PDB file of all heavy atoms in Angstrom:
ATOM      1  N   ARG A   4      88.093 -44.006 -60.404  1.00 97.00           N
ATOM      2  CA  ARG A   4      88.810 -45.261 -60.168  1.00 97.00           C
ATOM      3  C   ARG A   4      90.215 -44.879 -59.698  1.00 97.00           C
ATOM      4  O   ARG A   4      90.795 -43.890 -60.177  1.00 97.00           O
ATOM      5  CB  ARG A   4      88.943 -46.080 -61.449  1.00 97.00           C
ATOM      6  CG  ARG A   4      87.709 -46.892 -61.833  1.00 97.00           C
ATOM      7  CD  ARG A   4      87.968 -47.682 -63.128  1.00 97.00           C
ATOM      8  NE  ARG A   4      89.110 -48.564 -63.010  1.00 97.00           N
ATOM      9  CZ  ARG A   4      90.285 -48.368 -63.634  1.00 97.00           C
ATOM     10  NH1 ARG A   4      90.480 -47.342 -64.435  1.00 97.00           N
ATOM     11  NH2 ARG A   4      91.292 -49.218 -63.451  1.00 97.00           N
ATOM     12  N   LEU A   5      90.756 -45.622 -58.791  1.00 97.00           N
ATOM     13  CA  LEU A   5      92.060 -45.271 -58.244  1.00 97.00           C
ATOM     14  C   LEU A   5      93.127 -45.220 -59.333  1.00 97.00           C
ATOM     15  O   LEU A   5      94.012 -44.361 -59.318  1.00 97.00           O
ATOM     16  CB  LEU A   5      92.471 -46.256 -57.139  1.00 97.00           C
ATOM     17  CG  LEU A   5      93.762 -45.935 -56.406  1.00 97.00           C
ATOM     18  CD1 LEU A   5      93.698 -44.557 -55.749  1.00 97.00           C
ATOM     19  CD2 LEU A   5      94.068 -46.990 -55.340  1.00 97.00           C
ATOM     20  N   GLY A   6      93.011 -46.131 -60.315  1.00 97.00           N
ATOM     21  CA  GLY A   6      93.985 -46.137 -61.408  1.00 97.00           C
ATOM     22  C   GLY A   6      93.956 -44.846 -62.206  1.00 97.00           C
ATOM     23  O   GLY A   6      94.996 -44.290 -62.576  1.00 97.00           O
ATOM     24  N   GLU A   7      92.738 -44.350 -62.435  1.00 97.00           N
ATOM     25  CA  GLU A   7      92.627 -43.101 -63.183  1.00 97.00           C
ATOM     26  C   GLU A   7      93.141 -41.920 -62.347  1.00 97.00           C
ATOM     27  O   GLU A   7      93.809 -41.019 -62.854  1.00 97.00           O
ATOM     28  CB  GLU A   7      91.170 -42.857 -63.586  1.00 97.00           C
ATOM     29  CG  GLU A   7      91.039 -41.624 -64.464  1.00 97.00           C
ATOM     30  CD  GLU A   7      89.596 -41.291 -64.819  1.00 97.00           C
ATOM     31  OE1 GLU A   7      88.695 -42.080 -64.464  1.00 97.00           O
ATOM     32  OE2 GLU A   7      89.395 -40.229 -65.427  1.00 97.00           O
ATOM     33  N   LEU A   8      92.817 -41.960 -61.049  1.00 97.00           N
ATOM     34  CA  LEU A   8      93.266 -40.874 -60.172  1.00 97.00           C
ATOM     35  C   LEU A   8      94.798 -40.816 -60.155  1.00 97.00           C
ATOM     36  O   LEU A   8      95.392 -39.733 -60.237  1.00 97.00           O
ATOM     37  CB  LEU A   8      92.715 -41.092 -58.756  1.00 97.00           C
ATOM     38  CG  LEU A   8      92.907 -39.938 -57.769  1.00 97.00           C
ATOM     39  CD1 LEU A   8      92.119 -38.707 -58.203  1.00 97.00           C
ATOM     40  CD2 LEU A   8      92.492 -40.362 -56.364  1.00 97.00           C
ATOM     41  N   ALA A   9      95.427 -41.990 -60.063  1.00 97.00           N
ATOM     42  CA  ALA A   9      96.892 -42.035 -60.057  1.00 97.00           C
ATOM     43  C   ALA A   9      97.451 -41.384 -61.320  1.00 97.00           C
ATOM     44  O   ALA A   9      98.374 -40.561 -61.259  1.00 97.00           O
ATOM     45  CB  ALA A   9      97.372 -43.486 -59.952  1.00 97.00           C
ATOM     46  N   GLU A  10      96.862 -41.740 -62.432  1.00 97.00           N
ATOM     47  CA  GLU A  10      97.350 -41.198 -63.696  1.00 97.00           C
ATOM     48  C   GLU A  10      97.183 -39.678 -63.728  1.00 97.00           C
ATOM     49  O   GLU A  10      98.084 -38.942 -64.129  1.00 97.00           O
ATOM     50  CB  GLU A  10      96.556 -41.848 -64.835  1.00 97.00           C
ATOM     51  CG  GLU A  10      97.182 -41.672 -66.201  1.00 97.00           C
ATOM     52  CD  GLU A  10      96.405 -42.460 -67.244  1.00 97.00           C
ATOM     53  OE1 GLU A  10      95.917 -43.570 -66.895  1.00 97.00           O
ATOM     54  OE2 GLU A  10      96.269 -41.962 -68.376  1.00 97.00           O
ATOM     55  N   ARG A  11      96.026 -39.222 -63.285  1.00 97.00           N
ATOM     56  CA  ARG A  11      95.748 -37.781 -63.365  1.00 97.00           C
ATOM     57  C   ARG A  11      96.636 -36.947 -62.451  1.00 97.00           C
ATOM     58  O   ARG A  11      96.910 -35.787 -62.740  1.00 97.00           O
ATOM     59  CB  ARG A  11      94.293 -37.519 -62.996  1.00 97.00           C
ATOM     60  CG  ARG A  11      93.330 -38.035 -64.039  1.00 97.00           C
ATOM     61  CD  ARG A  11      92.120 -37.161 -64.028  1.00 97.00           C
ATOM     62  NE  ARG A  11      91.169 -37.548 -65.036  1.00 97.00           N
ATOM     63  CZ  ARG A  11      90.269 -36.732 -65.540  1.00 97.00           C
ATOM     64  NH1 ARG A  11      90.201 -35.480 -65.106  1.00 97.00           N
ATOM     65  NH2 ARG A  11      89.425 -37.132 -66.454  1.00 97.00           N
ATOM     66  N   ILE A  12      97.029 -37.495 -61.327  1.00 97.00           N
ATOM     67  CA  ILE A  12      97.871 -36.692 -60.426  1.00 97.00           C
ATOM     68  C   ILE A  12      99.358 -36.986 -60.645  1.00 97.00           C
ATOM     69  O   ILE A  12     100.212 -36.431 -59.953  1.00 97.00           O
ATOM     70  CB  ILE A  12      97.490 -36.896 -58.937  1.00 97.00           C
ATOM     71  CG1 ILE A  12      97.929 -38.274 -58.425  1.00 97.00           C
ATOM     72  CG2 ILE A  12      95.999 -36.669 -58.704  1.00 97.00           C
ATOM     73  CD1 ILE A  12      97.783 -38.420 -56.909  1.00 97.00           C
ATOM     74  N   GLY A  13      99.646 -37.853 -61.604  1.00 96.00           N
ATOM     75  CA  GLY A  13     101.050 -38.109 -61.921  1.00 96.00           C
ATOM     76  C   GLY A  13     101.757 -38.973 -60.905  1.00 96.00           C
ATOM     77  O   GLY A  13     102.954 -38.813 -60.658  1.00 96.00           O
ATOM     78  N   ALA A  14     101.009 -39.925 -60.307  1.00 97.00           N
ATOM     79  CA  ALA A  14     101.599 -40.787 -59.281  1.00 97.00           C
ATOM     80  C   ALA A  14     101.719 -42.216 -59.804  1.00 97.00           C
ATOM     81  O   ALA A  14     100.973 -42.641 -60.684  1.00 97.00           O
ATOM     82  CB  ALA A  14     100.736 -40.776 -58.020  1.00 97.00           C
ATOM     83  N   GLU A  15     102.656 -42.945 -59.245  1.00 97.00           N
ATOM     84  CA  GLU A  15     102.786 -44.371 -59.518  1.00 97.00           C
ATOM     85  C   GLU A  15     101.878 -45.128 -58.549  1.00 97.00           C
ATOM     86  O   GLU A  15     101.936 -44.901 -57.345  1.00 97.00           O
ATOM     87  CB  GLU A  15     104.249 -44.780 -59.301  1.00 97.00           C
ATOM     88  CG  GLU A  15     104.531 -46.242 -59.576  1.00 97.00           C
ATOM     89  CD  GLU A  15     105.906 -46.641 -59.045  1.00 97.00           C
ATOM     90  OE1 GLU A  15     106.702 -45.723 -58.734  1.00 97.00           O
ATOM     91  OE2 GLU A  15     106.168 -47.849 -58.931  1.00 97.00           O
ATOM     92  N   LEU A  16     101.051 -46.024 -59.093  1.00 97.00           N
ATOM     93  CA  LEU A  16     100.117 -46.756 -58.234  1.00 97.00           C
ATOM     94  C   LEU A  16     100.733 -48.059 -57.753  1.00 97.00           C
ATOM     95  O   LEU A  16     101.218 -48.864 -58.542  1.00 97.00           O
ATOM     96  CB  LEU A  16      98.811 -47.047 -59.000  1.00 97.00           C
ATOM     97  CG  LEU A  16      97.820 -47.967 -58.285  1.00 97.00           C
ATOM     98  CD1 LEU A  16      97.345 -47.381 -56.961  1.00 97.00           C
ATOM     99  CD2 LEU A  16      96.628 -48.272 -59.189  1.00 97.00           C
TER     100      LEU A  16
END
Side-chain angles (χ1 to χ4, degrees):
Chain A
R4 279 180 58 251
L5 185 58
E7 185 184 355
L8 189 65
E10 195 174 324
R11 291 210 177 203
I12 72 170
E15 181 193 346
L16 172 61

